[in-house]
Structure formats: structure tokens, C-alpha cells
Amino acid sequence: MFVSPAGYQPVYNPSVPYVGPIYGGLRSGMSVYIQGVIPLEASSFLLNLQGGEAEGSDIGFHFSPHLDDSCVVLNNCQGGEWGSEEKIESLPFSKENAFEIIITIIQEGYQVKVNGQDFHTFLHRLPVETVNALQIGGDVSIQTISFLGGAVSAGDEGENLPALSGNAVFYPAAPYAHNFPGGLTPQKTFIIRGLVPPGAYRFTVNLLVGSTQNIAFHLNPRIQEGAVVRNSLMEENWGQEERDVNFNPFQEGQYVDFVIRCEAEMFKVFVNGQHMCDYAHRYSTLSEIDTLEVAGDIQISYVSA
């Protein structure tokens, strides 16, 4: 049975209407990531960040695209009373097309990006600390819901999880590199989501020693070949390739949502909520592995490291 890695609790393909918890609640610096598709017959849909899962809960942020009217309505609701409506006469959504929404909580309010572009900032009207649930309704199909940048998992009793303690980087260009001082420790988790574009040949994710460029873990999906190669590079020499996987999710035109988790004896790789493979450590000094690289044929949506 699959168990999500610690600190990584996305929701995949939920039915709509959907209501679910945000464990630990929202706070400044967190981001809500939602990826889905607008069906052909769509008229409107809504996202509510609200203070509880019960019907009638206060809504800190209401986001509702109206496709037939080519606008987006934003509001809040407190004590059953709606606030002053904000209507944006611009619609960054289209029927039969996929979309990505990122709602980042900043000091001033809810900062919304759609498909990588700034859309609108809705100023706080209710304390963000009271928001602990997400509701989705209307004409929409949802593939992924993720909470990044400090969320906690059920059973963690409010303590921040190390895997999500840092803010995510959204839409970085590839090649992308990130240095994490102090190196790896067991349970350190990297979360990467991106689109494998049409015509993609291959891309790579490397965990390496920045001072020597030794690659402790090289993950190399080769899309045209239909292989997922893993290896290590020590003193400019590649080791023995590993290719066996439980499944291969890397296909042209598909989003991939994957996690690399460092454990005491190995790296574990999960893709789209399923365990894909393990890779036993070949570089024993984890604290010296201090750099993440992502390069090649992938359009990165976010990296959380």
C-alpha cells in the first residue's frame, strides 16, 4: 500500500464538489497549487479558502471564474454575509484546456497566478490564520491539489514538517539549480512538478556535491526511449545504470508530480502519488550533497526543496 512521503500530502483527481482540510491552517508564505481542466460544457467554477469544512463556514477568499461572462469574481463571506465583490473583466481560462492556479499567501492578501502569469491580489478581510479548508465546486475537473511552504500533515500536531518548511519556487527556467547549505539529512524531501512538453527527448534531476560536481543521484527520464535511468558520477566516471521501475509515468504532453526523499540507506522516488523506484546511496557522506539541479526537456511548475 502506498504511503505518501512525510510532509507531502497532495490530493490527486478528487471528485467535485470537493471539501478538504488544510492541516495546520494557512499562514503567510504558504502557497496553494491547483491543476485541472475546464470541460467543454463549463459555465463557472469556484475555489473557497474557508474556516472549516462545514457548510456555511466563513470564507476568507472566494475565487470564481465565470466562463460565459468572461470574468472572475472575488469576494469573502463572514457570518453568512458576502462582502464587497471584486470583478476582474479578464478570463485566463478557456474550455477544454488545462490550467494551473497558484494562490500565495502574502502579508497583504492572496496573490493569484494563473498559468504562470500574475492575475490579481485580493487583500485580506479575515485573519488568514482562521482558514483551514479548501472547497472546490462547479464545472471543473481537478488533477492535483498541493499545499506548499509550511503545511503540516495529519497526526503531526501542528509542528512544521521539514520537507515543506521552505517556500516553493514557481516556474523557474530550466536549467535550474538550488543550493541547500548543510547538505542532505534523512527525510529531506524534494518536490518537483512540471510538464513534459510534446517532442521532449529527456530531462535530468541531479543531487550533487557542489564543490566537486560529483553526482550522488542522477535521475534521467528518457522519453523517446521509454526508460528512466538512474546513476551516479564519481570522479568523472559513471557507475552502473539502474533502469528497473515499478511504472514509467514520463510521457509527452503529461504533467508529472514527483518527490525524491532521502532516507538513511537510499533515495525513494514517488511520481503522481505512486512509488516508482529506490536508489541505494553510493555517496556515503550525505552532508556533502548540497545542490539540486533540474535540466533538459521539462517545463517546471514548481520546485520545493
Side-chain angles (χ1 to χ4, degrees), residues 1-12 153 259 261 270 273-274:
M1 180 175 136
F2 171 73
V3 178
S4 295
Y8 183 72
Q9 303 292 338
V11 177
Y12 294 105
S153 294
V259 171
R261 185 177 71 196
F270 304 81
Q274 299 181 59

Side-chain angles (χ1 to χ4, degrees), residues 133-151:
L134 169 67
Q135 178 187 26
I136 302 176
D139 306 322
V140 67
S141 175
I142 301 297
Q143 273 71 57
T144 307
I145 301 168
S146 297
F147 301 98
L148 304 167

Side-chain angles (χ1 to χ4, degrees), residues 230 243-249 269 274-278:
R230 286 92 65 206
R243 289 176 172 244
D244 291 342
V245 292
N246 294 329
F247 70 108
N248 182 356
V269 182
Q274 299 181 59
H275 176 227
M276 186 181 74
C277 64
D278 296 334

Side-chain angles (χ1 to χ4, degrees), residues 51-78:
E53 298 176 57
E55 186 175 350
S57 297
D58 286 349
I59 298 170
F61 180 46
H62 168 80
F63 180 88
S64 181
H66 293 247
L67 287 95
D68 292 340
D69 296 330
S70 298
C71 70
V72 179
V73 173
L74 306 99
N75 210 334
N76 81 296
C77 186
Q78 185 174 18

Side-chain angles (χ1 to χ4, degrees), residues 42-264:
S43 175
S44 66
F45 69 95
L46 63 86
L47 311 174
N48 289 333
L49 291 170
Q50 57 191 44
E53 298 176 57
E55 186 175 350
S57 297
D58 286 349
I59 298 170
F61 180 46
H62 168 80
F63 180 88
S64 181
H66 293 247
L67 287 95
D68 292 340
D69 296 330
S70 298
C71 70
V72 179
V73 173
L74 306 99
N75 210 334
N76 81 296
C77 186
Q78 185 174 18
E81 299 290 332
W82 287 98
S84 177
E85 183 178 277
E86 297 180 20
K87 182 181 290 186
I88 310 301
E89 302 287 350
S90 174
L91 188 70
F93 304 93
S94 56
K95 297 178 182 183
E96 296 189 285
N97 284 324
F99 65 85
E100 294 179 309
I101 299 173
I102 296 168
I103 304 169
T104 299
I105 292 80
I106 60 175
Q107 185 175 358
E108 296 80 10
Y110 299 91
Q111 187 179 69
V112 182
K113 288 181 179 286
V114 179
N115 299 331
Q117 302 298 312
D118 290 334
F119 180 71
H120 186 70
T121 298
F122 182 83
L123 300 181
H124 290 306
R125 300 180 184 178
L126 298 178
V128 69
E129 294 81 9
T130 65
V131 174
N132 58 18
L134 169 67
Q135 178 187 26
I136 302 176
D139 306 322
V140 67
S141 175
I142 301 297
Q143 273 71 57
T144 307
I145 301 168
S146 297
F147 301 98
L148 304 167
V152 297
S153 294
D156 286 309
E157 299 179 349
E159 295 186 4
N160 287 349
L161 290 166
L164 293 178
S165 59
N167 291 334
V169 177
F170 296 104
Y171 302 106
Y176 168 79
H178 170 71
N179 178 262
F180 42 98
L184 288 181
T185 56
Q187 304 306 312
K188 174 70 174 176
T189 303
F190 303 90
I191 306 170
I192 302 165
R193 181 172 177 82
L195 173 68
V196 180
Y201 181 59
R202 64 172 66 182
F203 69 92
T204 60
V205 178
N206 292 327
L207 287 167
L208 55 88
V209 180
S211 60
T212 64
Q213 297 300 296
N214 285 331
I215 301 175
F217 180 42
H218 171 76
L219 177 68
N220 180 209
R222 300 178 183 178
I223 291 86
Q224 301 301 324
E225 187 179 340
V228 183
V229 175
R230 286 92 65 206
N231 210 336
S232 296
L233 179 69
M234 305 295 181
E235 307 302 329
E236 301 184 354
N237 293 310
W238 288 104
Q240 181 68 37
E241 287 186 351
E242 297 182 16
R243 289 176 172 244
D244 291 342
V245 292
N246 294 329
F247 70 108
N248 182 356
F250 301 104
Q251 307 293 329
E252 294 180 56
Q254 298 295 312
Y255 281 96
V256 286
D257 190 358
F258 62 100
V259 171
I260 300 172
R261 185 177 71 196
C262 178
E263 296 194 342

